[in-house]
Amino acid sequence: MKIDAVTIFPEYFAPLQLSLLGKAQENDIIDIAIHNLRDYTEDNHHSVDDTPYGGGAGMVMKPEIWGQALDPLMIPDTDLIILTPAGKVFDQKMAHELAQASHLIFACGRYEGIDARVGQYYAQASFATQGIRVREVSIGDYVLGGGEVAALVMIEAITRLLPGVLGNPESLAEESHVEEGFLEYPNYTKPKIWRDLEVPEVLLSGNHGAIAKWRAEQAAARGED
Ligand code: 6GU
């Protein structure tokens, strides 16, 4: 999978070099490129935003600069993800859909967002026929300073679903229960007693049937909260 992210703060993406994501890049399972939006400005001040038509607070990101940055990235079979608190809320189902993609572009807006014509432009039929899709996505019902952290969240959730990214594919299989609406059961490891708190007896029993039943009950009880 190829991933591009366009941002005015490339440094936000430093954590992508860590852990499983760093390994997945070394192993060529994913290819991530971060692009600095300011590199596409042509004025002396490298300005990326301007005042909103119609008035109001805040600034809006200029469409020409986004066009310059995005045009060269727009190859056939691309999902352009525009990060905005007004978008469709990202969930595990969308993570699975996007894990099927061959190329994702994350457009990280700041200020009051990106001029609405940017999404409108790439959603036109001439792009759609090349397999270019546009989605506005939010990661939840709260407001962040910009799309960078949201892009990181999505990249982590999506790429860990790709074959070869997780060290242990069984943890993915077990997780599918979470996605079916069952929440996970509580987990314990050694020691058996920690600060007077004991591991539930059934987990020490070696009775796999009883353990599975207990875990299902616990998971269901967690789901009731
Ligand atoms: Cl994608 N962007 C911003 N600025 N705030 C958000 C968000 C995105 N998702 C939730 N809150």
Side-chain angles (χ1 to χ4, degrees):
M1 175 184 282
K2 168 111 185 80
I3 296 174
D4 289 296
V6 183
T7 171
I8 57 167
F9 294 122
E11 295 87 349
Y12 258 104
F13 292 87
L16 295 177
Q17 303 314 316
L18 303 175
S19 187
L20 293 175
L21 268 166
K23 286 261 157 50
Q25 289 178 85
E26 282 172 27
N27 296 336
D28 294 324
I29 298 171
I30 49 176
D31 171 12
I32 306 182
I34 310 301
H35 309 270
N36 191 340
L37 184 70
R38 281 196 209 278
D39 292 346
Y40 299 87
T41 54
E42 283 171 352
D43 63 314
N44 289 336
H45 294 100
H46 301 285
S47 58
V48 293
D49 60 335
D50 208 336
T51 53
Y53 276 120
M59 300 290 269
V60 177
M61 294 186 107
K62 295 157 68 68
E64 311 95 300
I65 307 181
W66 277 101
Q68 294 294 338
L70 293 174
D71 281 345
L73 303 177
M74 286 295 171
I75 56 176
D77 200 6
T78 289
D79 286 88
L80 170 62
I81 295 157
I82 298 177
L83 294 154
T84 159
K88 180 174 174 192
V89 175
F90 181 65
D91 59 9
Q92 193 64 20
K93 178 168 171 274
M94 199 191 296
H96 277 281
E97 282 169 27
L98 293 173
Q100 304 300 313
S102 62
H103 180 213
L104 300 177
I105 303 174
F106 291 90
C108 303
R110 285 257 143 192
Y111 315 108
E112 303 309 306
I114 302 171
D115 187 301
R117 290 169 293 182
V118 174
Q120 192 188 349
Y121 176 79
Y122 294 108
Q124 291 176 109
S126 57
F127 290 100
T129 54
Q130 301 175 61
I132 292 170
R133 294 161 290 273
V134 179
R135 310 181 183 233
E136 292 194 340
V137 182
S138 157
I139 61 162
D141 292 333
Y142 37 77
V143 179
L144 302 169
E148 286 78 7
V149 170
L152 280 176
V153 166
M154 290 183 66
I155 292 169
E156 181 160 316
I158 292 164
T159 56
R160 65 188 288 289
L161 299 174
L162 300 178
V165 173
L166 274 197
N168 174 13
E170 276 179 24
S171 34
L172 262 192
E174 286 202 20
E175 219 179 76
S176 63
H177 299 295
V178 178
E179 293 157 26
E180 284 157 21
F182 298 96
L183 297 179
E184 268 197 279
Y185 47 79
N187 291 295
Y188 303 87
T189 186
K190 290 172 273 299
K192 251 181 239 180
I193 302 174
W194 174 72
R195 300 188 182 177
D196 288 339
L197 299 172
E198 295 183 24
V199 171
E201 194 69 42
V202 63
L203 299 179
L204 312 175
S205 69
N207 181 339
H208 298 295
I211 291 170
K213 180 166 172 286
W214 181 86
R215 284 178 167 169
E217 289 163 2
Q218 292 292 312
R222 271 189 173 183
E224 285 162 13
D225 297 336

